[in-house]
C-alpha cells in the first residue's frame, strides 16, 4: 500500500506542476507582455503650423530627423531634431513614397515623372535610378530603359533592393543591380499565386518585414497583401469589402488602404481612408482602428481625433507613428500619453492654416466650366441645400456640397484652373450619374470623364481605362501626378445636365459663389420667404389666438422659415437655397429693440451631422419632385460649428413686439418678413 500511496503523491505533484506550468504559459501568452514603448494615446500636430506644406505624402524618420515628400510642391522637406524646417529639393514632379538607401540617400517614387530617383541629402542633387522621365508605360530590363506608370509606393530592403508599387500597372517591381523586373502582378484585378498569376488593383504603400516579405496596401482591392521574396502573394488582411470592420484579419474590412508601416514588434500600421488601423498588436492577431474614419481635423485622444486622407506612415525611432496628413497639409503623430512630440492644435490655429475665400479666389483667372469661359450659365444648386428628404429622425439627408452649373447633355465640361491629381484614387463612381474626379482644390461631378456622350474615349492617355475581354469599358483611373490645364476638357455632361463643382480642399469646402470669380454672374433678386412658423421646445406648433393675430410666446420658442432664393438668368421654377438667415426684435412701432442676430450661413460647408439643425421636417430636394427648404433659424450653424438654439423670452420685457425675419443671398439682397408677437 505504501508504494501505491507514494505513486499517488508523485502523480499529484506532477499534475500540480503541470497546472502551474500550463498556467504560467497561458499567463505569458495571453496576459504578460514584454516591456515595450507606451501605446499611442492621442493625436498631435508635429509640423505645418505656418502652411509649410502643400500636400505631405511620404514620410520617414532617421535619428530624430523627419523627411517629408510634398506632391503639390514637388519637394522633399526636412525637419531636424531642433524643429528647424528646410528644403532638401524642390526639383521633383510629384514625389510620393520615400525611403533611405544603404548609403543614407533618399530614394523617391516620383509619381508625376513615372520614375524612381535618388536624392543626395548633403547636396540636394537628384539622380535618375529607373524609368524614363515623363514617359508612362511598362517595360522590364535595364533600369534606365524600364518604364513605370505612376509609381507611388516604395521600400528599400536590407539587401539594397528597391521595391516599387507600380501603381497604375498594378504590379510590384524590384530594382536590383541596375535591372528592373516584375516580382508579382499582371493586370488589374484580384488573384493570389505567384508572379504573373497575381493581380493587384492600384497597389500603393509598401513596407519590408524582418522576414524579407513585402506588406502591400492593395488599395483598389481594399486588402493588405503579403509578397515573399520570390513573388508568392497572399492576403494578410481584408475580405474585399470597402466597409471598415475590425476583428480577425480574414473578416476585416478596409475602406481604401494607402500606406503601411511596421514597428519593431512586427505590428502593421495602416493608413486607411481617413483612419489609422493596426494589425498584430495583440497575441491573437486582430485588426484594430486607432483613429476613426470620420474625417476632419482634430487633435486629442484617439476616439475624438480626426485625420483627412492620411497618405504616409512611419514608425519613428521612439516607437511613435508619424503621419503625413495630406488634406490637412500637416505632419501629425500618434503620441504616447506623456510624449513631448508635437502639440495639440487649437481650432484657432486650424483656421489660420486654411485659405480664406479671398485667397482661394486669387489663385486662378476667372472662368466658367464650359466654353466660352466668360459666358454666364444658369445656377441649379448652391452649397448647403438639403439633398434627400426629412420625414422623421431616421431620415437620410445630406448637404449639397457644391455649385451646380447648367449645361446640355454631351456638352464638354472643362477644368476651371490648372491643377495636378494628388489623390491616387481621384476618380470615383465610374459609369454612374455621380462619376467624378477630385482635384486638389476642385471637384467635378456628373461627367463622363475623358469620353463623349457615346462613351467614345478621348485621345488622352492621362485617362487610364480598364477593359473587359470584349473591350468594353469597366473602370477608369487618373494617375497621381497627372496635370490638367485650365480650359482643357474633363469630359462630357451626363444625364444630370450640369457640372456639380466642389470648391475647396476636401473637408474645407467653400461656397463657390464666394471663392470663385465667375464672369458676368449677377443676382438682383431677393430671397422669397413663403412662411414663418413657431414651435415650442417640444416641437408643438404655436398658433395665433382667436382674440389676437399676434403669436403668443413664453419661454423658449423655435422659428422655422420656409424660403428659397433665385438668381438672374434662372428659370422661374428654379429654387435655390438661401445663403444666410437671422432675425431682429423690434418694438411695436418697428424700432429696433435689439441688434440683428445672424444664425445660419453657408460661407463654409457644415458637416452632414448638422443637417437636422438647419432643416425641419418636410424639407426635401433632389433631381425630381418639389423643392422645399424649411430652415430652423433659431439654431446656429456656421461651418463646422453648430448647436441648437431658441428665441428665448425669459429675459425680455412682456408686451407687444415685432419679430423681423431676415433672409439674405450671397450678393447682399435681403428679404424681410415682420411677424407680430406678444411676449407673455
Amino acid at each position: 500500500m505504501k508504494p501505491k500511496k507514494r505513486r499517488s503523491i508523485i502523480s499529484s505533484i506532477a499534475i500540480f506542476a503541470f497546472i502551474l506550468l500550463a498556467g504560467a504559459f497561458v499567463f505569458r501568452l495571453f496576459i504578460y507582455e514584454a516591456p515595450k514603448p507606451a501605446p499611442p494615446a492621442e493625436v498631435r500636430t508635429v509640423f505645418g503650423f505656418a502652411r509649410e506644406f502643400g500636400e505631405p505624402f511620404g514620410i520617414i524618420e532617421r535619428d530624430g530627423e523627419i523627411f517629408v515628400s510634398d506632391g503639390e510642391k514637388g519637394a522633399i522637406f526636412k525637419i531636424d531634431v531642433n524643429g528647424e524646417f528646410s528644403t532638401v529639393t524642390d526639383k521633383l514632379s510629384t514625389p510620393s513614397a520615400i525611403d533611405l538607401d544603404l548609403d543614407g540617400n533618399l530614394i523617391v517614387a516620383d509619381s508625376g515623372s513615372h520614375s524612381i530617383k535618388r536624392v543626395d541629402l548633403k547636396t540636394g542633387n537628384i539622380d535618375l535610378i529607373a524609368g524614363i522621365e515623363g514617359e508612362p508605360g511598362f517595360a522590364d530590363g535595364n533600369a534606365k530603359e524600364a518604364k513605370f506608370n505612376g509609381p507611388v509606393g516604395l521600400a528599400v530592403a536590407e539587401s539594397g533592393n528597391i521595391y516599387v508599387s507600380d501603381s497604375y500597372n498594378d504590379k510590384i517591381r524590384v530594382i536590383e543591380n541596375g535591372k528592373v523586373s516584375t516580382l508579382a502582378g499582371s493586370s488589374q484585378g484580384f488573384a493570389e499565386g505567384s508572379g504573373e498569376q497575381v493581380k493587384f488593383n492600384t497597389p500603393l504603400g509598401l513596407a519590408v518585414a524582418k522576414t524579407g516579405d513585402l506588406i502591400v496596401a492593395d488599395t483598389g482591392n481594399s486588402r493588405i497583401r503579403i509578397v515573399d521574396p520570390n513573388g508568392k502573394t497572399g492576403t494578410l488582411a481584408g475580405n474585399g469589402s470597402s466597409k471598415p470592420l475590425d476583428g480577425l484579419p480574414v473578416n476585416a474590412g478596409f475602406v481604401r488602404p494607402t500606406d503601411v508601416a511596421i514597428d519593431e514588434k512586427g505590428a502593421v500600421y495602416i493608413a486607411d481612408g481617413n483612419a489609422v488601423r493596426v494589425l498584430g498588436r495583440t497575441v491573437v492577431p486582430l485588426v484594430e482602428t486607432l483613429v476613426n474614419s470620420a474625417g476632419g481635423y482634430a487633435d486629442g485622444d484617439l476616439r475624438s481625433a480626426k485625420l483627412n486622407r492620411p497618405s504616409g506612415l512611419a514608425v519613428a525611432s521612439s516607437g511613435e507613428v508619424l503621419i503625413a496628413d495630406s488634406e490637412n497639409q500637416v505632419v501629425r503623430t500618434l503620441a504616447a500619453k506623456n510624449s513631448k512630440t508635437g502639440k495639440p492644435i487649437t481650432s484657432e490655429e486650424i483656421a489660420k492654416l486654411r485659405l480664406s475665400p479671398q485667397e482661394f479666389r486669387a489663385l486662378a483667372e476667372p472662368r466658367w466650366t464650359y466654353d466660352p469661359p466668360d459666358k454666364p450659365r444658369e445656377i441649379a444648386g448652391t452649397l448647403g441645400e438639403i439633398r434627400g428628404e426629412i420625414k422623421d429622425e431616421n431620415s437620410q439627408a445630406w448637404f449639397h456640397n457644391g455649385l451646380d452649373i447648367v449645361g446640355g447633355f454631351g456638352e464638354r465640361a472643362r477644368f476651371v484652373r490648372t491643377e495636378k491629381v494628388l489623390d491616387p484614387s481621384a476618380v470615383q463612381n465610374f459609369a454612374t450619374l455621380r462619376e467624378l474626379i477630385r482635384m486638389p482644390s476642385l471637384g467635378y461631378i456628373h461627367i463622363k470623364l475623358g469620353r463623349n456622350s457615346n462613351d467614345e474615349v478621348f485621345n488622352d492617355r492621362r485617362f487610364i481605362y480598364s477593359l473587359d475581354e470584349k473591350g468594353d469599358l469597366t473602370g477608369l483611373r487618373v494617375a497621381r501626378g497627372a496635370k490638367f490645364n485650365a480650359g482643357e476638357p474633363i469630359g462630357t455632361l451626363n444625364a444630370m445636365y450640369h457640372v456639380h463643382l466642389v470648391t475647396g480642399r476636401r473637408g474645407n469646402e467653400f461656397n463657390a459663389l464666394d471663392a470663385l470669380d465667375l464672369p458676368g454672374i449677377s443676382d438682383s433678386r431677393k430671397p422669397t420667404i413663403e412662411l414663418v412658423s413657431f414651435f415650442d421646445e417640444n416641437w408643438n406648433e404655436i398658433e395665433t389666438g382667436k382674440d389676437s393675430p399676434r403669436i403668443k410666446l413664453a419661454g423658449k420658442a423655435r422659428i422655422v422659415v420656409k424660403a428659397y432664393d433665385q438668381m438672374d438668368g434662372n428659370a422661374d421654377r428654379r429654387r435655390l437655397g438661401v445663403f444666410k438667415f437671422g432675425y431682429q426684435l423690434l418694438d411695436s412701432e418697428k424700432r429696433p429693440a435689439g441688434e440683428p442676430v445672424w444664425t445660419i450661413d453657408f460661407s463654409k460647408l457644415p458637416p452632414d451631422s448638422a443637417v437636422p439643425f438647419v432643416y425641419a421636417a418636410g424639407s426635401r430636394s433632389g433631381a425630381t419632385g418639389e423643392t422645399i427648404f424649411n430652415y430652423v433659424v433659431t439654431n446656429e450653424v456656421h461651418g463646422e460649428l453648430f448647436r441648437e438654439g431658441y428665441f428665448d423670452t425669459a429675459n425680455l420685457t412682456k408686451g407687444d413686439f415685432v419679430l423681423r425675419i431676415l433672409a439674405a443671398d450671397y450678393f447682399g439682397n435681403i428679404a424681410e418678413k415682420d411677424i407680430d408677437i406678444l411676449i407673455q
Side-chain angles (χ1 to χ4, degrees):
M1 296 292 293
K2 288 184 180 179
K4 193 177 287 188
K5 185 175 182 181
R6 179 184 291 178
R7 284 195 298 270
S8 177
I9 292 171
I10 292 172
S11 297
S12 298
I13 292 172
I15 292 170
F16 182 70
F18 175 79
I19 292 172
L20 285 176
L21 289 171
F25 176 79
V26 170
F27 180 82
R28 173 68 183 84
L29 187 62
F30 292 102
I31 301 174
Y32 174 79
E33 292 186 358
K36 62 181 181 180
E42 60 183 3
V43 175
R44 296 180 181 180
T45 299
V46 176
F47 213 87
F49 298 96
R51 298 184 182 178
E52 290 91 347
F53 299 111
E55 187 237 17
F57 192 94
I59 187 167
I60 59 169
E61 185 264 8
R62 180 190 66 178
D63 300 330
E65 293 185 325
I66 301 170
F67 297 91
V68 184
S69 69
D70 190 318
E72 183 173 295
K73 294 188 175 182
I76 305 289
F77 298 116
K78 182 177 82 170
I79 307 164
D80 70 17
V81 293
N82 298 314
E84 294 295 323
F85 183 83
S86 61
T87 301
V88 176
T89 181
D90 58 2
K91 301 296 190 295
L92 298 165
S93 174
T94 312
S96 298
I98 54 177
D99 204 349
L100 291 166
D101 68 10
L102 303 184
D103 297 321
N105 298 305
L106 270 179
I107 308 300
V108 185
D110 194 16
S111 306
S113 69
H114 310 284
S115 65
I116 309 302
K117 293 173 178 172
R118 179 189 296 111
V119 180
D120 187 317
L121 289 178
K122 295 178 181 178
T123 65
N125 291 336
I126 301 172
D127 293 319
L128 181 68
I129 295 175
I132 301 175
E133 182 82 16
E135 284 198 26
F138 170 72
D140 282 337
N142 292 328
K144 300 292 181 68
E145 298 172 355
K147 289 186 178 181
F148 298 87
N149 194 357
V152 173
L154 178 147
V156 179
E158 290 183 358
S159 63
N161 288 352
I162 301 171
Y163 293 96
V164 179
S165 282
D166 192 2
S167 301
Y168 303 96
N169 279 327
D170 303 294
K171 294 173 172 63
I172 305 301
R173 316 279 291 280
V174 59
I175 305 170
E176 181 180 12
N177 298 325
K179 302 282 187 181
V180 175
S181 60
T182 299
L183 180 65
S186 53
S187 59
Q188 185 182 16
F190 174 74
E192 298 181 338
S194 295
E196 292 185 355
Q197 298 172 334
V198 179
K199 291 186 178 183
F200 297 98
N201 186 349
T202 324
L204 297 180
L206 282 181
V208 182
K210 289 182 178 180
T211 59
D213 294 328
L214 288 175
I215 309 301
V216 183
D218 190 3
T219 306
N221 282 321
S222 299
R223 290 177 169 94
I224 305 302
R225 311 287 290 278
I226 183 167
V227 184
D228 76 11
N230 297 313
K232 185 176 181 181
T233 301
T235 296
L236 186 64
N239 61 12
S241 168
S242 59
K243 293 182 179 179
L245 180 66
D246 287 344
L248 293 172
V250 69
N251 297 324
F254 295 92
V255 177
R256 193 178 299 142
T258 303
D259 197 24
V260 289
I262 305 172
D263 70 11
E264 287 295 316
K265 294 287 183 179
V268 180
Y269 293 85
I270 304 153
D272 181 31
N274 294 320
V276 173
R277 322 277 293 280
V278 64
L279 167 62
R281 288 199 311 170
T282 52
V283 174
V284 177
L286 296 173
V287 174
E288 308 167 80
T289 296
L290 297 176
V291 184
N292 68 64
S293 59
Y297 195 160
D299 280 337
D301 66 85
L302 297 182
R303 290 185 179 182
S304 59
K306 294 180 181 180
L307 304 167
N308 196 350
R309 189 167 67 86
S311 299
L313 300 177
V315 178
S317 50
S318 65
E320 295 184 344
V321 179
L322 297 169
I323 305 168
D325 192 1
S326 294
E327 293 296 347
N328 284 327
Q329 300 174 282
V330 293
V331 171
R332 301 170 79 186
T333 184
L334 297 180
K337 190 171 184 180
N338 298 316
S339 171
K340 296 181 180 179
T341 305
K343 71 170 189 175
I345 196 169
T346 65
S347 57
E348 291 78 12
E349 288 172 317
I350 292 173
K352 289 180 181 178
L353 279 175
R354 294 173 169 171
L355 294 178
S356 68
Q358 293 75 24
E359 290 174 308
F360 189 89
R361 190 186 308 123
L363 294 176
E365 294 295 320
R367 70 158 293 133
W368 289 83
T369 55
Y370 309 103
D371 274 346
D374 57 349
K375 179 183 177 181
R377 294 293 185 111
E378 184 178 4
I379 301 300
T382 59
L383 183 135
E385 294 178 2
I386 188 174
R387 290 295 181 264
E389 182 175 3
I390 296 182
K391 294 180 179 179
D392 53 43
E393 60 184 15
N394 298 316
S395 298
Q396 295 295 314
W398 60 95
F399 287 117
H400 186 256
N401 71 340
L403 189 72
D404 290 345
I405 306 173
V406 175
F409 177 76
E411 183 175 3
R412 290 203 173 188
R414 298 182 181 275
F415 287 98
V416 172
R417 58 178 57 178
T418 298
E419 292 191 279
K420 62 181 174 181
V421 171
L422 295 177
D423 187 340
S425 304
V427 173
Q428 297 176 32
N429 308 324
F430 177 73
T432 72
L433 290 177
R434 287 194 55 78
E435 187 172 334
L436 67 91
I437 184 168
R438 192 59 164 98
M439 305 299 283
S441 69
L442 293 166
Y444 305 83
I445 309 178
H446 306 315
I447 298 170
K448 293 190 173 190
L449 299 169
R451 57 199 196 279
N452 65 21
S453 58
N454 295 320
D455 279 336
E456 297 167 338
V457 302
F458 295 171
N459 183 22
D460 189 336
R461 64 180 182 178
R462 290 172 296 186
F463 295 97
I464 306 169
Y465 289 97
S466 305
L467 307 174
D468 62 16
E469 295 178 353
K470 298 179 181 178
D472 295 329
L473 302 178
T474 59
L476 171 63
R477 294 175 291 181
V478 177
R480 172 176 165 82
K483 183 178 179 180
F484 294 89
N485 294 316
E488 282 195 278
I490 311 168
T492 55
L493 296 191
N494 63 26
M496 295 297 286
Y497 300 98
H498 66 264
V499 172
H500 176 115
L501 185 65
V502 182
T503 306
R505 283 187 177 269
R506 192 175 70 180
N508 188 36
E509 290 87 352
F510 298 109
N511 190 313
L513 296 175
D514 197 20
L516 291 179
D517 191 348
L518 299 171
I521 193 169
S522 65
D523 183 358
S524 59
R525 302 158 117 180
K526 294 180 180 179
T528 298
I529 299 175
E530 297 182 280
L531 179 68
V532 179
S533 303
F534 290 80
F535 300 83
D536 65 17
E537 283 186 83
N538 300 313
W539 284 103
N540 298 307
E541 188 167 4
I542 301 171
E543 298 181 356
T544 57
K546 294 181 180 179
D547 57 340
S548 171
R550 293 182 178 272
I551 298 289
K552 297 179 180 180
L553 300 177
K556 296 178 178 179
R558 304 177 193 267
I559 305 171
V560 175
V561 177
K562 184 180 181 183
Y564 65 90
D565 192 23
Q566 292 182 304
M567 294 179 64
D568 295 344
N570 274 21
D572 288 339
R573 62 178 174 79
R574 185 82 67 192
R575 296 192 170 194
L576 303 176
V578 178
F579 177 70
K580 190 176 178 181
F581 278 101
Y583 55 84
Q584 183 179 19
L585 187 64
L586 311 175
D587 66 19
S588 58
E589 300 298 321
K590 294 191 176 183
R591 294 171 300 201
E595 296 296 319
V597 178
W598 293 99
T599 54
I600 297 175
D601 76 74
F602 290 108
S603 299
K604 298 288 291 294
L605 181 69
D608 283 339
S609 53
V611 167
F613 290 80
V614 176
Y615 293 103
S619 298
R620 68 179 309 276
S621 179
T624 59
E626 183 184 6
T627 296
I628 299 173
F629 301 124
N630 292 324
Y631 296 93
V632 188
V633 301
T634 40
N635 289 340
E636 294 184 43
V637 182
H638 306 281
E640 295 181 356
L641 303 177
F642 59 92
R643 65 179 182 178
E644 192 170 42
Y646 303 92
F647 178 71
D648 194 346
T649 66
N651 297 318
L652 298 177
T653 304
K654 295 180 180 180
D656 293 339
F657 290 88
V658 173
L659 192 64
R660 176 166 291 169
I661 305 301
L662 305 169
D665 62 28
Y666 169 73
F667 296 88
N669 302 303
I670 300 177
E672 300 175 351
K673 191 173 184 68
D674 291 344
I675 308 295
D676 293 329
I677 63 173
L678 171 62
I679 297 178
Q680 297 181 318

